[in-house]
Amino acid sequence: MKLFLLFIFSIFSFSTFAITRPEIESLLKEKNVSLNRMEQKGAKVLFGEVTGHSPMLPFAKIQVLLTKDEAILKKDFDSVDFRGAQDWAHFVAVHSLGQLVLKQDIHAVIVLGQ
């Protein structure tokens, strides 16, 4: 029974952090951006980056940060906070259009030239 409850808990835990391609397309559409067009230009969606999948990814390659509720375009970054080098491993937060978005709130990123 304990294993069953642990399994159910883990499913709900992971589902709260997941973002799907249709959700990404919808968030980008709100910004008048097409994911298909971005991909045609060489962009790639990376999921799970908060877990350290691509820690050495240069932050300059990131074009869009995706939270569960918003696509934050690079052109809208007011400032970016790092602890060390300017790569994903040292990224802390981004200030965008009067909001502070922490790394832990990022569910996926769209990069160019990955």
Side-chain angles (χ1 to χ4, degrees):
M1 184 67 174
K2 287 181 183 179
L3 283 176
F4 177 73
L5 290 174
L6 183 60
F7 175 74
I8 296 298
F9 176 75
S10 66
I11 288 174
F12 287 114
S13 296
F14 288 120
S15 67
T16 60
F17 295 110
I19 189 168
T20 64
R21 183 177 177 92
E23 290 172 323
I24 291 171
E25 290 171 340
S26 177
L27 292 172
L28 289 171
K29 189 175 181 182
E30 291 174 10
K31 304 282 185 160
N32 296 318
V33 175
S34 164
L35 179 56
N36 286 334
R37 239 184 233 134
M38 290 186 78
E39 288 175 328
Q40 288 171 355
K41 294 179 181 180
K44 183 177 177 182
V45 178
L46 301 177
F47 297 91
E49 293 350 270
V50 175
T51 64
H53 176 69
S54 297
M56 301 311 288
L57 174 69
F59 199 82
K61 291 187 176 191
I62 294 176
Q63 302 301 305
V64 181
L65 298 172
L66 296 147
T67 69
K68 191 69 175 163
D69 302 315
E70 184 178 14
I72 305 163
L73 306 179
K74 184 176 190 171
K75 69 178 184 74
D76 294 329
F77 294 176
D78 296 324
S79 64
V80 182
D81 298 334
F82 296 96
R83 285 198 181 121
Q86 292 189 357
D87 56 29
W88 184 253
H90 296 94
F91 168 70
V92 176
V94 65
H95 302 263
S96 174
L97 304 174
Q99 294 183 55
L100 175 66
V101 180
L102 301 173
K103 181 178 184 178
Q104 65 203 32
D105 297 324
I106 308 296
H107 296 278
V109 297
I110 299 177
V111 299
L112 212 71
Q114 173 61 13

